[in-house]
Amino acid sequence: MTEENKPFDGPPLSLEEELAAARAEPEAGPDIKTVNEDLADGVNRCPKCGSTDVRLRGSTGMLVCLFCRNEWQESRVEEEFGLGEGIDDLQGTVIAGGAEEIDDDANAVVTLKCGGCGAEVVVDTAHAMNARCHWCRHTLNIQQQMPNGAVPDAVLPFRLTHDEAVTRIREFASKRQLFAHPRFKKEFVPENVLGVYLPYLVIDARAEATYAGTGEVQTRRWTEKHGDNSTTYYAADVFKVDRTVQFTVDDLTIEGAADRASKDESKTNNIVNTVLPFDTKNAVKWNSSYLVGFTSEKRDLDVDDLQPVLQDQLLSIGRSQVEGSIAEFDRGVRWEQEGLDVGGSRWVSMYLPVWVYSYFQEDTKMLHYIAVNARTGETMGSVPVSQWRLVLAALTVGTFLEGIAGVLLVALS
Amino acid sequence: MTALVSGVVLDVVVMASDGPPVWLLAAGPAGAVATYWALFRYYRNTDKSHSYERDTIIEAKPVQGGREKIDHISKTRRSGIDGDNSSRHRQRVNRLR
Ligand SMILES: [Zn+2]
Ligand SMILES: [Zn+2]
């Protein structure tokens, strides 16, 4: 190649530009495209007979055609998008299509043109992902990943049936009857439980956490007598302690809706959080037919909003990992500083299935939940209490113990 | 609640004189408070949350680090270090960097 026809590759960079380029963060990894192309026309047809009357069959976790009873399912995202792999090599923040930033201006209400008869059908994506055409009874599905946060990358289908959820909720509440608020007992109808797909961000991450603090090791222990009383004293060596641990997490699961994520005392959201974890490895590619008959909640938190939550959880995980290495400090360790370096993270948005019984307590204006993980059956709840009954029980126990104490004192004196 | 707690204190103060183990009289109020909280937690479960430290797939490399002796306490009545947070993983401390 001669000097003349050498391809032009731009003017040489200045020193400042060279340095800036060298200092720049590594570029974010590629996005993961998770759109289900098979459903581009918004109609999910039975592969056997072509009917659009498709819904989830809870007992099998498969889609079933209500016309010919054919059953099938979407592929698992774990393999389809290679989500279980390469956590050790993650660089920067990798975001799947369904977890991308929400456009606040994007409308929740979407109009679809029916593929069967051409009528216009409206779907409010804040609450539903399907609608039936009134004219030809075609089922229309929201399949496109719109920037309004309503379509996730993956969905974990319901497995526990409504009946099974009712049984678990009834069991949970019936163990908590004696001190329950009388209105709650009167109005308790576990059949009112609703199946809801709640939005979560499921994160793989690679991190290094560092901790620094003070630890003490006991060197001596002795007792001194002062008249009738004796006091125990200790001697100890004090150490500066530091620890570093590198680790990866697979499928850390964080709430994607602000309403559900807020853990302040006026709400009982911790109940919904407590039924985690889910078997997220079994989540399948988005297909809104899995949502027929269930409601769903829209994601309204972005990856950026949740970075602090991720960091917080990674720091806690790191602390639990180093706990085993500080056993020599038998008087304990006080961590004073901690640092975190997230080498890389991968974010996928998922709908996870929960059966929710909710009860609004009028006098305290508090919303109570009994939630059932619709995969594992784990159940947790908040039952409003009758304060005066609780105090009465406490006083009864207290009086009884005081009686025994009195008898003992008389016997000893 | 506050009435019950001050009950404990009152009992201990009034009865703190020589003689039989009068602290036994704190058993009543302490038992009442403990009963209240145990029942309240069983119904409301305000203390529960997902244990992501345990119920997540975590793979960690061996922990690195060291220690350096900086002091000696020759006599104290404390049986443990002040502010031990080694098992309170969610209690955040100052951030480095
Ligand atoms: Zn069919
Ligand atoms: Zn139609």
Side-chain angles (χ1 to χ4, degrees):
Chain A
M1 199 183 289
T2 67
E3 197 63 23
E4 264 143 36
N5 59 15
K6 200 172 124 188
F8 179 69
D9 62 358
L13 296 171
S14 72
L15 182 60
E16 284 79 15
E17 286 170 319
E18 295 267 27
L19 283 173
R23 271 193 233 105
E25 291 276 304
E27 263 177 52
D31 290 352
I32 308 166
K33 295 270 168 272
T34 58
V35 175
N36 193 343
E37 302 290 355
D38 299 346
L39 306 169
D41 61 353
V43 183
N44 182 29
R45 289 181 191 279
C46 163
K48 211 166 153 195
C49 74
S51 159
T52 63
D53 232 347
V54 176
R55 62 186 300 160
L56 171 69
R57 189 162 162 218
S59 53
T60 60
M62 313 253 284
L63 293 175
V64 60
C65 168
L66 298 185
F67 192 73
C68 73
R69 313 308 296 179
N70 177 35
E71 284 188 32
W72 74 101
Q73 66 179 335
E74 291 288 352
S75 51
R76 302 202 322 170
V77 290
E78 183 79 1
E79 289 84 17
E80 181 93 17
F81 303 114
L83 296 183
E85 302 157 16
I87 305 176
D88 267 323
D89 309 318
L90 283 176
Q91 288 283 343
T93 307
V94 182
I95 301 174
E100 267 164 21
E101 222 164 288
I102 297 164
D103 177 359
D104 288 331
D105 298 330
N107 207 330
V109 177
V110 175
T111 307
L112 297 175
K113 202 175 185 72
C114 173
C117 71
E120 303 234 303
V121 178
V122 172
V123 185
D124 179 2
T125 59
H127 306 289
M129 293 305 219
N130 313 83
R132 268 212 151 168
C133 171
H134 329 285
W135 306 106
C136 70
R137 311 212 28 90
H138 237 46
T139 307
L140 300 174
N141 303 263
I142 301 284
Q143 310 289 11
Q144 298 298 317
Q145 275 171 352
M146 306 162 285
N148 76 1
V151 172
D153 299 298
V155 51
L156 186 62
F158 271 78
R159 181 179 283 153
L160 247 72
T161 63
H162 185 266
D163 283 351
E164 287 168 323
V166 169
T167 306
R168 301 213 179 215
I169 290 167
R170 199 182 290 285
E171 255 170 39
F172 185 91
S174 67
K175 284 187 199 147
R176 290 163 181 79
Q177 276 199 40
L178 198 52
F179 301 103
H181 197 285
R183 267 192 77 167
F184 173 82
K185 277 198 278 190
K186 211 175 83 199
E187 294 166 5
F188 181 61
V189 187
E191 283 71 19
N192 288 349
V193 62
L194 281 181
V196 190
Y197 281 102
L198 294 177
Y200 288 87
L201 285 152
V202 177
I203 306 156
D204 294 338
R206 175 173 72 84
E208 180 180 283
T210 309
Y211 305 92
T214 308
E216 290 181 6
V217 178
Q218 181 180 307
T219 51
R220 220 182 123 211
R221 176 179 187 271
W222 71 98
T223 308
E224 288 178 15
K225 280 210 167 258
H226 310 282
D228 277 352
N229 299 325
S230 56
T231 311
T232 302
Y233 292 97
Y234 305 87
D237 284 339
V238 183
F239 293 90
K240 217 155 84 176
V241 187
D242 61 82
R243 291 289 185 268
T244 297
V245 62
Q246 293 181 358
F247 59 92
T248 61
V249 292
D250 188 352
D251 284 10
L252 199 61
T253 306
I254 297 179
E255 281 88 1
D259 257 6
R260 228 47 63 209
S262 116
K263 298 283 184 330
D264 69 84
E265 297 276 310
S266 68
K267 296 186 171 151
T268 60
N269 280 337
N270 72 303
I271 294 304
V272 181
N273 176 264
T274 303
V275 302
L276 290 170
F278 286 84
D279 54 330
T280 41
K281 300 275 168 231
N282 291 319
V284 296
K285 249 160 77 170
W286 172 253
N287 181 328
S288 75
S289 297
Y290 285 107
L291 274 69
V292 178
F294 300 102
T295 58
S296 59
E297 207 162 272
K298 234 173 71 179
R299 175 173 71 89
D300 58 4
L301 292 173
D302 286 325
V303 170
D304 281 348
D305 302 322
L306 293 171
Q307 290 283 4
V309 183
L310 171 67
Q311 295 194 2
D312 201 77
Q313 297 202 357
L314 291 176
L315 281 167
S316 304
I317 288 171
R319 285 259 285 270
S320 80
Q321 291 296 317
V322 302
E323 194 180 359
S325 76
I326 53 170
E328 60 169 314
F329 303 98
D330 53 1
R331 285 171 55 84
V333 170
R334 175 179 68 243
W335 294 122
E336 287 144 356
Q337 290 180 299
E338 57 192 352
L340 181 74
D341 183 8
V342 182
S345 58
R346 175 167 56 202
W347 301 65
V348 173
S349 111
M350 266 184 209
Y351 266 168
L352 302 179
V354 184
W355 288 106
V356 179
Y357 178 80
S358 62
Y359 176 80
F360 184 71
Q361 189 181 359
E362 288 288 343
D363 51 355
T364 58
K365 303 277 172 244
M366 187 173 273
L367 190 57
H368 297 267
Y369 299 107
I370 301 177
V372 182
N373 180 319
R375 300 287 297 189
T376 64
E378 187 170 341
T379 306
M380 186 43 72
S382 164
V383 170
V385 291
S386 158
Q387 288 293 345
W388 72 266
R389 279 181 215 218
L390 218 54
V391 169
L392 202 66
L395 289 177
T396 309
V397 171
T399 310
F400 176 71
L401 286 176
E402 196 70 4
I404 294 181
V407 169
L408 274 174
L409 277 181
V410 170
L412 288 171
S413 58
Chain B
M1 240 331 273
T2 24
L4 291 173
V5 173
S6 53
V8 177
V9 176
L10 196 71
D11 271 329
V12 172
V13 172
V14 170
M15 302 295 171
S17 56
D18 286 343
V22 287
W23 53 262
L24 269 177
L25 288 178
V33 172
T35 305
Y36 182 92
W37 279 115
L39 284 171
F40 186 82
R41 286 228 300 240
Y42 183 63
Y43 277 66
R44 294 287 317 281
N45 291 299
T46 47
D47 58 326
K48 303 283 192 305
S49 79
H50 166 45
S51 327
Y52 50 79
E53 297 96 336
R54 203 190 55 221
D55 291 338
T56 306
I57 306 166
I58 297 161
E59 272 179 47
K61 303 237 167 74
V63 174
Q64 312 281 314
R67 58 172 224 184
E68 185 195 329
K69 187 172 164 185
I70 52 168
D71 202 1
H72 179 77
I73 302 169
S74 51
K75 190 175 183 183
T76 176
R77 287 178 65 168
R78 281 188 171 281
S79 62
I81 193 170
D82 190 17
D84 189 342
N85 55 11
S86 55
S87 55
R88 297 186 176 179
H89 308 312
R90 297 189 189 180
Q91 186 192 312
R92 292 277 74 82
V93 296
N94 285 335
R95 279 289 281 274
L96 294 160
R97 283 171 209 147

